[in-house]
Amino acid sequence: MAMRPVGALLFGLLADRFGRRIPLMANVIYFSVIELACGFAPNFTVFFILRALFGIGMGGEWGVGASLAMEAAPTKWRGILSGILQSGYSIGYLLAAIAARFLLPVWGWRPMFLDWRVARAAGALHPHQSAESEAWKQHRAATTADVLRSVASQWNGSCISSC
């Protein structure tokens, strides 16, 4: 969880520059491979490093995925859909606790990391899985420097009183 801001920054900049779809697909493949590798970690140190790398992927997926979803959602539904999206963590924690209670004693911890990630990564390669965001197309930055200038403009204090 501590590395999520790194992923949000990295993949967020990529998504603002190159669109939501391609960075999101790359991100899903990235964190799926890392998650799979966690199941084969030979010791705690390797496992810890892999989980930190996984956090980068989760930060990227959360920010870019949420952007793509909210930009595609009808304006009047964005509030409720955003709330449902935010409830994903608590639902995930509940499902993880249930899985730990019933599956951990039977299978151990490794299979918990060898689940559907491979199939999800393969699905991310499908080029028509999601359309590019119309909002991004309309407000696309021409260069990475333009993206960084846009971000910096929000940090200069002009937004604090009006946001």
Short mmCIF file of all heavy atoms in Angstrom, two decimals, residues 1 3 8 10 18-19 37 42-43 45 62 69 76-77 81 94 99 102 110 124 127 135-136 138-140 152-153 161:
data_model
loop_
_atom_site.label_atom_id
_atom_site.label_comp_id
_atom_site.label_asym_id
_atom_site.label_seq_id
_atom_site.Cartn_x
_atom_site.Cartn_y
_atom_site.Cartn_z
N MET A 1 0.82 -1.20 0.00
CA MET A 1 0.00 0.00 0.00
C MET A 1 0.87 1.27 0.00
O MET A 1 0.45 2.28 -0.52
CB MET A 1 -0.92 0.01 1.22
CG MET A 1 -1.92 -1.15 1.25
SD MET A 1 -3.14 -0.99 -0.01
CE MET A 1 -4.52 -0.46 0.93
N MET A 3 3.50 1.91 -1.62
CA MET A 3 4.04 2.25 -2.95
C MET A 3 2.96 2.69 -3.94
O MET A 3 3.28 3.07 -5.06
CB MET A 3 4.81 1.05 -3.51
CG MET A 3 6.04 0.68 -2.69
SD MET A 3 7.24 2.01 -2.60
CE MET A 3 7.92 1.94 -4.23
N ALA A 8 0.54 5.61 -8.87
CA ALA A 8 -0.45 6.59 -9.29
C ALA A 8 0.22 7.74 -10.04
O ALA A 8 -0.29 8.19 -11.08
CB ALA A 8 -1.21 7.12 -8.07
N LEU A 10 3.31 7.69 -11.59
CA LEU A 10 3.92 7.18 -12.82
C LEU A 10 2.87 6.88 -13.89
O LEU A 10 2.93 7.42 -15.00
CB LEU A 10 4.74 5.93 -12.51
CG LEU A 10 5.33 5.20 -13.72
CD1 LEU A 10 6.39 6.06 -14.38
CD2 LEU A 10 5.91 3.87 -13.28
N PHE A 18 -0.56 9.73 -22.88
CA PHE A 18 -0.79 8.77 -23.96
C PHE A 18 -2.19 8.18 -24.00
O PHE A 18 -2.47 7.33 -24.84
CB PHE A 18 0.23 7.63 -23.88
CG PHE A 18 1.65 8.10 -23.98
CD1 PHE A 18 2.47 8.13 -22.87
CD2 PHE A 18 2.15 8.56 -25.19
CE1 PHE A 18 3.78 8.58 -22.96
CE2 PHE A 18 3.46 9.02 -25.29
CZ PHE A 18 4.27 9.02 -24.18
N GLY A 19 -3.07 8.63 -23.15
CA GLY A 19 -4.43 8.09 -23.12
C GLY A 19 -4.58 7.10 -21.98
O GLY A 19 -3.61 6.64 -21.40
N ALA A 37 4.30 -13.76 -9.57
CA ALA A 37 5.65 -13.99 -9.03
C ALA A 37 5.62 -14.11 -7.50
O ALA A 37 6.43 -14.84 -6.92
CB ALA A 37 6.59 -12.87 -9.47
N PRO A 42 10.78 -17.21 -2.96
CA PRO A 42 11.49 -18.23 -2.18
C PRO A 42 11.68 -17.88 -0.70
O PRO A 42 11.95 -18.75 0.12
CB PRO A 42 12.85 -18.32 -2.87
CG PRO A 42 13.05 -16.97 -3.48
CD PRO A 42 11.67 -16.50 -3.87
N ASN A 43 11.53 -16.58 -0.36
CA ASN A 43 11.69 -16.17 1.03
C ASN A 43 10.93 -14.87 1.27
O ASN A 43 10.40 -14.26 0.33
CB ASN A 43 13.17 -16.03 1.41
CG ASN A 43 13.90 -15.06 0.49
OD1 ASN A 43 13.44 -13.95 0.24
ND2 ASN A 43 15.06 -15.49 -0.01
N THR A 45 12.01 -11.88 2.12
CA THR A 45 12.61 -10.67 1.53
C THR A 45 12.15 -10.49 0.08
O THR A 45 11.73 -9.39 -0.31
CB THR A 45 14.15 -10.74 1.59
OG1 THR A 45 14.54 -10.88 2.95
CG2 THR A 45 14.77 -9.48 1.01
N TRP A 62 -5.55 1.78 -9.97
CA TRP A 62 -6.64 2.47 -9.29
C TRP A 62 -6.88 3.85 -9.91
O TRP A 62 -8.01 4.19 -10.25
CB TRP A 62 -6.32 2.61 -7.80
CG TRP A 62 -7.46 3.16 -7.03
CD1 TRP A 62 -7.58 4.43 -6.53
CD2 TRP A 62 -8.65 2.48 -6.66
NE1 TRP A 62 -8.77 4.57 -5.89
CE2 TRP A 62 -9.46 3.38 -5.94
CE3 TRP A 62 -9.13 1.18 -6.86
CZ2 TRP A 62 -10.69 3.05 -5.44
CZ3 TRP A 62 -10.36 0.85 -6.34
CH2 TRP A 62 -11.13 1.77 -5.64
N ALA A 69 -13.11 4.93 -15.99
CA ALA A 69 -14.50 4.61 -15.63
C ALA A 69 -15.34 5.85 -15.43
O ALA A 69 -16.47 5.95 -15.94
CB ALA A 69 -14.52 3.75 -14.37
N LYS A 76 -24.62 12.31 -14.56
CA LYS A 76 -25.55 12.22 -13.43
C LYS A 76 -25.30 10.98 -12.58
O LYS A 76 -25.73 10.92 -11.44
CB LYS A 76 -27.00 12.24 -13.92
CG LYS A 76 -27.44 11.00 -14.66
CD LYS A 76 -28.91 11.10 -15.05
CE LYS A 76 -29.38 9.76 -15.60
NZ LYS A 76 -30.80 9.74 -15.79
N TRP A 77 -24.59 9.98 -13.08
CA TRP A 77 -24.31 8.75 -12.34
C TRP A 77 -22.92 8.72 -11.72
O TRP A 77 -22.59 7.80 -10.97
CB TRP A 77 -24.46 7.53 -13.26
CG TRP A 77 -25.88 7.23 -13.56
CD1 TRP A 77 -26.57 7.58 -14.69
CD2 TRP A 77 -26.81 6.55 -12.72
NE1 TRP A 77 -27.86 7.14 -14.60
CE2 TRP A 77 -28.04 6.51 -13.39
CE3 TRP A 77 -26.72 5.99 -11.45
CZ2 TRP A 77 -29.16 5.91 -12.84
CZ3 TRP A 77 -27.83 5.39 -10.90
CH2 TRP A 77 -29.03 5.36 -11.60
N LEU A 81 -21.60 6.01 -8.84
CA LEU A 81 -20.64 5.03 -9.35
C LEU A 81 -19.27 5.19 -8.69
O LEU A 81 -18.59 4.19 -8.42
CB LEU A 81 -20.53 5.15 -10.87
CG LEU A 81 -21.78 4.75 -11.65
CD1 LEU A 81 -21.59 5.03 -13.14
CD2 LEU A 81 -22.12 3.29 -11.41
N LEU A 94 -13.10 -7.99 2.78
CA LEU A 94 -14.03 -9.01 3.26
C LEU A 94 -13.82 -10.34 2.53
O LEU A 94 -13.74 -11.40 3.15
CB LEU A 94 -15.48 -8.52 3.08
CG LEU A 94 -16.57 -9.53 3.45
CD1 LEU A 94 -16.50 -9.86 4.94
CD2 LEU A 94 -17.94 -8.98 3.08
N ALA A 99 -11.60 -15.86 2.14
CA ALA A 99 -10.66 -16.78 1.47
C ALA A 99 -9.62 -17.29 2.45
O ALA A 99 -9.27 -18.48 2.44
CB ALA A 99 -10.00 -16.08 0.28
N PHE A 102 -11.17 -20.02 4.79
CA PHE A 102 -11.53 -21.31 4.23
C PHE A 102 -10.48 -21.92 3.30
O PHE A 102 -10.34 -23.14 3.25
CB PHE A 102 -12.87 -21.21 3.48
CG PHE A 102 -14.02 -20.90 4.40
CD1 PHE A 102 -14.59 -19.65 4.42
CD2 PHE A 102 -14.49 -21.87 5.28
CE1 PHE A 102 -15.63 -19.35 5.29
CE2 PHE A 102 -15.53 -21.60 6.16
CZ PHE A 102 -16.10 -20.33 6.16
N ARG A 110 0.53 -19.82 -1.00
CA ARG A 110 0.98 -19.63 -2.39
C ARG A 110 -0.16 -19.63 -3.42
O ARG A 110 -0.18 -18.74 -4.28
CB ARG A 110 2.03 -20.67 -2.75
CG ARG A 110 3.34 -20.41 -2.05
CD ARG A 110 4.42 -21.37 -2.52
NE ARG A 110 5.60 -21.31 -1.69
CZ ARG A 110 6.57 -20.43 -1.86
NH1 ARG A 110 6.52 -19.54 -2.82
NH2 ARG A 110 7.61 -20.44 -1.05
N ALA A 124 -6.11 -8.29 -20.74
CA ALA A 124 -5.67 -6.90 -20.90
C ALA A 124 -5.04 -6.68 -22.27
O ALA A 124 -4.97 -5.55 -22.74
CB ALA A 124 -4.68 -6.53 -19.81
N PRO A 127 -7.19 -5.76 -27.68
CA PRO A 127 -7.19 -4.33 -28.04
C PRO A 127 -8.54 -3.64 -27.98
O PRO A 127 -8.60 -2.43 -27.88
CB PRO A 127 -6.64 -4.33 -29.47
CG PRO A 127 -6.93 -5.70 -29.99
CD PRO A 127 -6.87 -6.62 -28.80
N ALA A 135 -13.13 12.21 -22.95
CA ALA A 135 -12.66 13.38 -22.20
C ALA A 135 -11.15 13.57 -22.42
O ALA A 135 -10.69 14.70 -22.60
CB ALA A 135 -12.96 13.22 -20.71
N TRP A 136 -10.40 12.46 -22.42
CA TRP A 136 -8.96 12.58 -22.66
C TRP A 136 -8.70 13.05 -24.08
O TRP A 136 -7.84 13.90 -24.30
CB TRP A 136 -8.25 11.24 -22.41
CG TRP A 136 -6.80 11.33 -22.75
CD1 TRP A 136 -5.82 11.85 -21.96
CD2 TRP A 136 -6.19 10.94 -23.97
NE1 TRP A 136 -4.61 11.81 -22.63
CE2 TRP A 136 -4.81 11.25 -23.87
CE3 TRP A 136 -6.64 10.37 -25.14
CZ2 TRP A 136 -3.91 10.99 -24.89
CZ3 TRP A 136 -5.75 10.10 -26.16
CH2 TRP A 136 -4.39 10.42 -26.03
N GLN A 138 -10.46 14.98 -25.89
CA GLN A 138 -10.78 16.40 -26.00
C GLN A 138 -9.76 17.30 -25.31
O GLN A 138 -9.56 18.44 -25.70
CB GLN A 138 -12.16 16.68 -25.42
CG GLN A 138 -13.28 16.05 -26.22
CD GLN A 138 -14.62 16.19 -25.52
OE1 GLN A 138 -14.73 16.80 -24.47
NE2 GLN A 138 -15.65 15.59 -26.11
N HIS A 139 -9.11 16.79 -24.26
CA HIS A 139 -8.20 17.61 -23.46
C HIS A 139 -6.77 17.09 -23.49
O HIS A 139 -5.99 17.36 -22.58
CB HIS A 139 -8.68 17.67 -22.01
CG HIS A 139 -10.07 18.20 -21.88
ND1 HIS A 139 -10.39 19.52 -22.09
CD2 HIS A 139 -11.24 17.58 -21.60
CE1 HIS A 139 -11.69 19.69 -21.92
NE2 HIS A 139 -12.23 18.53 -21.63
N ARG A 140 -6.42 16.36 -24.51
CA ARG A 140 -5.12 15.72 -24.61
C ARG A 140 -3.99 16.75 -24.58
O ARG A 140 -4.02 17.76 -25.27
CB ARG A 140 -5.05 14.93 -25.91
CG ARG A 140 -3.73 14.25 -26.09
CD ARG A 140 -3.69 13.43 -27.34
NE ARG A 140 -2.42 12.72 -27.37
CZ ARG A 140 -1.88 12.26 -28.45
NH1 ARG A 140 -2.49 12.40 -29.60
NH2 ARG A 140 -0.73 11.64 -28.40
N ALA A 152 1.52 21.21 -12.25
CA ALA A 152 2.16 22.27 -11.47
C ALA A 152 1.22 23.45 -11.26
O ALA A 152 1.24 24.09 -10.20
CB ALA A 152 3.45 22.72 -12.15
N SER A 153 0.39 23.75 -12.24
CA SER A 153 -0.53 24.89 -12.10
C SER A 153 -1.53 24.66 -10.98
O SER A 153 -2.05 25.62 -10.40
CB SER A 153 -1.26 25.14 -13.42
OG SER A 153 -2.23 24.15 -13.66
N SER A 161 -7.99 28.33 -2.99
CA SER A 161 -9.15 29.11 -2.57
C SER A 161 -10.39 28.85 -3.41
O SER A 161 -11.49 29.03 -2.95
CB SER A 161 -8.80 30.60 -2.63
OG SER A 161 -8.50 30.97 -3.96
#
